[in-house]
Amino acid sequence: MSLDMKKMRSKLENLQNRGSGERNTFWRPQEGEQTVRIVPTADGDPFKDFHFHYLEVDGKRQSVLCPKKNFGEKCPICNFATQLFQEGTPDSIKMAKTLFARQRFFSPVLVRGEEESGVRVWGYGKMAYESLLNLVLNPDYGDITDVDDGTDLNIHYGRPAGAQFPQTKIQPRRRTSTLCDEAVGGPERCAELLESIPDFDTLFERRTTEDVQAVLDEFMDSPEAGGETTKYAGTKTDTSNVTTASSVDRAFEELSSQLGVASGS
């Protein structure tokens, strides 16, 4: 019996992916146009959302899963941001807006032309999420994730003239298609891909309330937060060096560059 070359290629891909950690888990669109297929999940919901806090400490931006928004637990960063906002001064409100949790959305995708990389996770913003929901609720398209009769999506990613940040535009293909044609590997390869969808429950590090407090303390001791002690239990509220609310997108840009997550609207 001859070697099953498809299985050999799959074994090599799995071996190579083990050593590269999370970097191969995420997909980030490049400038221009690419085509992806959102892959169906076992729970019927391929659109996952998480809330992150973004803090800059010693020139490095950190992302922290919000314990309150994601898991219903106490969140020191949420509490502190609320205190700042309620104080009502321009500086305290400005700083609070940089600390409030921000929502990001994620879907498992197969990138056309890069099927050998397997199923990866595409991260995107609220505008792209709204476009996707409108698409899946449009009866003209039906289930765009269907393995046999779904719809590929053309992703136009870039920064329009005059725009501060990149934007994502989504255009469905006119014709439906199978998820895995013979060029990709057919039904056998398709089954392998569906089994390899990343586990969203372990996609990002979940920190305890104590760990989140430690991150906040580190942030408040950093140059970005200033160095003046205030009434907030040892934290500082001088915001002369704190980035503006738009830094949330730049923070996700840095997270993207570290993990390969897509950014933009």
Side-chain angles (χ1 to χ4, degrees), residues 137-153:
L137 293 174
N138 187 332
D140 289 341
Y141 291 99
D143 184 359
I144 64 172
T145 71
D146 188 87
V147 172
D148 298 315
D149 200 28
T151 304
D152 286 358
L153 306 174

Side-chain angles (χ1 to χ4, degrees), residues 223-259:
E224 288 80 9
E228 298 181 8
T229 303
T230 72
K231 61 185 177 181
Y232 295 112
T235 56
K236 291 86 175 170
T237 58
D238 176 74
T239 59
S240 58
N241 293 318
V242 177
T243 51
T244 63
S246 64
S247 67
V248 171
D249 289 311
R250 288 190 285 108
F252 199 81
E253 286 286 343
E254 181 156 322
L255 175 64
S256 299
S257 65
Q258 295 172 353
L259 300 181

